[in-house]
Amino acid sequence: MPPDEKRRQIAGILLVLASCAAFAMSPTAARFAFEAGGNTLTVATLRAAVGVVLIALLLAATREGFRLPPAALRPSLAAGALSAVVSYGFVGAVAFIPVGLALLVFFTHPLLIAALWHWQGKERFTLRKLGLALVVLAGLGLAIGTAFDGLDPRGILLAALASVAVTGMIAFSARARQLAGSAPINLLVALVSAGLTGGLTTALGAWAFPAGTIGWLGVLGAGLGTTLGLLMFLASFRYVSPVRATMLSNVEPVFGILFAMALLGEWLAPLQWAGVVLVVAGLVLFEMPAKQGN
């Protein structure tokens, strides 16, 4: 691999890992908002609203401009609508099944992305990569430590809906990213998601705002984590393919576990640590062919 290409690959991988760390901060921060009286739909709406404000400030500070090329408008709108579906699907899932199982079902989307790119002829997905992806998924199952008894099929279906929706969101975002910068795309995605999620919250009469400074700091942290995470994730498409970026994003729940340990005192059992090791090992092996230029 030429040195310039190697540097680009490293930059892309670092951007994805940084985005995962930012995304993983979001649920831990949101926990503080929940404990202060907020509910999931309200926090999801406020989180998207925080993203709108932050991205607008970023665009104003960098003078990048708010306008999107007409060709990028439609895929960005589609990504925003699907972002709202992701929030709805995941929120609905955790109402019926454990959060761990919802995460496990949701993180089948790297396989869906790989299958979609393979079907479109954009990137070949070999049997070896499929095997490693399944190893990573198994590791996530151990790391999350989900209990599988007393499952409600509605929760599994909603988590699967979120997985399919995020696959589409990434595909449309990747298409828009070829035509425009990540910040203007994210602004429109956040606007559409906030509007749709807020409309759903209002229709259901589900507004429940957190009380106190800690609760609102939780909302701010959740919005900041999601916004920075999405900005860096889309920016990584300049250096690595969406399939590689999405596969690497499997490390996000591992970051989430570490944040929960540090801030919430949630410690892992030995079997969960084994799952963490399995995830990391699977991702390293998944990356090896690309590093060797295969």
Side-chain angles (χ1 to χ4, degrees):
M1 180 184 296
D4 287 346
E5 178 62 22
K6 185 174 183 179
R7 283 193 291 268
R8 287 175 57 84
Q9 296 290 319
I10 292 173
I13 291 169
L14 291 176
L15 276 171
V16 174
L17 294 179
S19 77
C20 289
F23 276 128
M25 181 181 73
S26 183
T28 301
R31 176 73 68 84
F32 292 106
F34 296 148
E35 292 176 352
N39 63 22
T40 309
L41 275 174
T42 301
V43 172
T45 303
L46 294 175
R47 181 183 64 180
V50 168
V52 171
V53 174
L54 289 175
I55 299 171
L57 290 174
L58 174 65
L59 287 171
T62 59
R63 299 182 180 180
E64 184 176 343
F66 293 84
R67 296 186 62 182
L68 283 172
L73 188 60
R74 186 173 296 177
S76 299
L77 287 171
L82 287 170
S83 176
V85 175
V86 173
S87 296
Y88 175 79
F90 190 77
V91 167
V94 298
F96 298 108
I97 59 176
V99 174
L101 179 57
L103 278 170
L104 182 59
V105 175
F106 177 71
F107 269 90
T108 58
H109 71 264
L111 292 176
L112 298 180
I113 283 287
L116 178 62
W117 253 246
H118 180 83
W119 177 67
Q120 293 179 340
K122 296 179 179 178
E123 184 167 337
R124 188 166 174 261
F125 195 58
T126 64
L127 288 176
R128 179 180 182 276
K129 288 184 176 181
L130 174 61
L132 289 171
L134 294 175
V135 167
V136 171
L137 191 61
L140 284 175
L142 291 176
I144 292 168
T146 296
F148 290 91
D149 53 334
L151 298 181
D152 190 320
R154 291 175 294 179
I156 296 175
L157 288 174
L158 284 169
L161 172 66
S163 178
V164 173
V166 79
T167 299
M169 188 189 83
I170 292 171
F172 281 114
S173 296
R175 185 182 304 173
R177 186 64 185 83
Q178 295 174 344
L179 303 167
S182 59
I185 294 169
N186 283 357
L187 179 61
L188 185 56
V189 169
L191 276 169
V192 174
S193 181
L196 293 177
T197 309
L200 177 62
T201 308
T202 301
L204 296 176
W207 288 105
F209 296 99
T213 303
I214 297 298
W216 284 100
L217 285 175
V219 170
L220 180 61
L224 184 64
T226 302
T227 303
L228 291 178
L230 192 55
L231 281 170
M232 290 185 287
F233 186 73
L234 289 182
S236 73
F237 291 177
R238 182 181 300 176
Y239 307 105
V240 297
S241 73
V243 173
R244 289 187 66 195
T246 308
M247 186 64 199
L248 283 168
S249 72
N250 273 295
V251 80
E252 181 187 326
V254 177
F255 279 119
I257 290 168
L258 297 178
F259 276 124
M261 288 175 58
L263 299 177
L264 302 175
E266 297 180 357
W267 296 93
L268 298 183
L271 192 60
Q272 290 175 293
W273 278 117
V276 171
V277 172
L278 199 58
V279 169
V280 174
L283 290 174
V284 170
L285 290 173
F286 191 90
E287 282 299 302
M288 283 180 63
K291 291 181 179 180
Q292 294 170 356
N294 293 338

